[in-house]
Amino acid sequence: MKVSREQVGENRRRILDQAGRLFRERGFDAVSVAEVMKAAGLTHGAFYGHFQSKDELIAQTLAHVLAGSEVAAEPEAFLAGYLSSQHCADAAGGCPVAGLGAETLRQSPQARATMTAGLREQLRRMSETAPGADAAARRREAIGRWSAMVGALTLARLSDDAALAEEILEQARRWIGERSAQ
């Protein structure tokens, strides 16, 4: 049975959505191709019609989830949402940089290049609304803010103490907010 181009595109999107969710939830190595395909509602054999290898799936999934990452037009709203308890608890649907950044270090050059492109784009978007007298100051502010946000979210997720995790998120929000007010 022949599948339409539209259905092929929809199947690919489902694969990438499910891979993004599973990889962020459990990590690249803990998720098999068969699990991704089952979650997408497709057969394992259909995988090779879309990707040549798991490495390619990883790189394409990173591109997919990074492209879907939003930066709110209002920096304070983005900060509050990013460093929230809800975002911290949603590893599977949350930030791919915080969820997969460290793991991407050990992936293919294609995956690393995809993550680098995503980082560049995120910093470009954040620089547009960051405070600062000139482009260099706004870029520096965006890099500092993004680094603190990803670091705080990662630390909060690492903790098995809910009170400590919330303290990390709250103090990082305050610290970044104080810097922005200066």
Side-chain angles (χ1 to χ4, degrees):
M1 178 169 88
K2 188 167 178 151
V3 178
S4 71
R5 284 185 194 266
E6 292 80 22
Q7 188 60 53
V8 169
E10 173 60 21
N11 290 348
R12 183 179 180 83
R13 186 199 54 76
R14 282 198 341 253
I15 294 166
L16 293 171
D17 285 347
Q18 293 304 316
R21 185 182 61 75
L22 290 167
F23 288 152
R24 283 180 283 184
E25 180 179 40
R26 298 187 357 227
F28 296 125
D29 292 339
V31 176
S32 70
V33 166
E35 288 175 291
V36 170
M37 296 306 286
K38 182 177 179 183
L42 300 166
T43 65
H44 185 194
F47 173 81
Y48 296 100
H50 296 276
F51 308 97
Q52 293 182 359
S53 66
K54 186 176 178 183
D55 284 343
E56 184 182 356
L57 172 65
I58 289 169
Q60 293 293 319
T61 298
L62 284 171
H64 180 73
V65 296
L66 289 165
S69 296
E70 298 281 329
V71 175
E74 173 55 46
E76 301 318 311
F78 179 62
L79 173 66
Y82 191 92
L83 293 180
S84 69
S85 299
Q86 295 82 7
H87 186 223
C88 186
D90 186 18
C95 175
V97 176
L100 297 170
E103 287 202 40
T104 302
L105 289 171
R106 294 177 264 308
Q107 296 303 314
S108 70
Q110 183 183 11
R112 298 271 318 266
T114 300
M115 183 63 84
T116 300
L119 293 173
R120 281 192 179 107
E121 178 58 18
Q122 182 76 355
L123 291 170
R124 184 196 64 74
R125 291 184 295 187
M126 289 181 76
S127 295
E128 290 175 351
T129 59
D134 57 27
R138 288 188 296 277
R139 174 100 172 154
R140 184 173 46 254
E141 182 66 25
I143 289 171
R145 179 180 277 244
W146 185 233
S147 298
M149 290 169 68
V150 170
L153 183 63
T154 301
L155 292 175
R157 285 180 175 171
L158 288 172
S159 177
D160 66 354
D161 178 340
L164 176 60
E166 187 54 41
E167 180 184 12
I168 291 167
L169 297 172
E170 181 182 337
Q171 293 304 321
R173 282 190 307 268
R174 284 185 178 180
W175 184 79
I176 293 169
E178 289 168 3
R179 286 198 39 77
S180 297
Q182 294 174 356

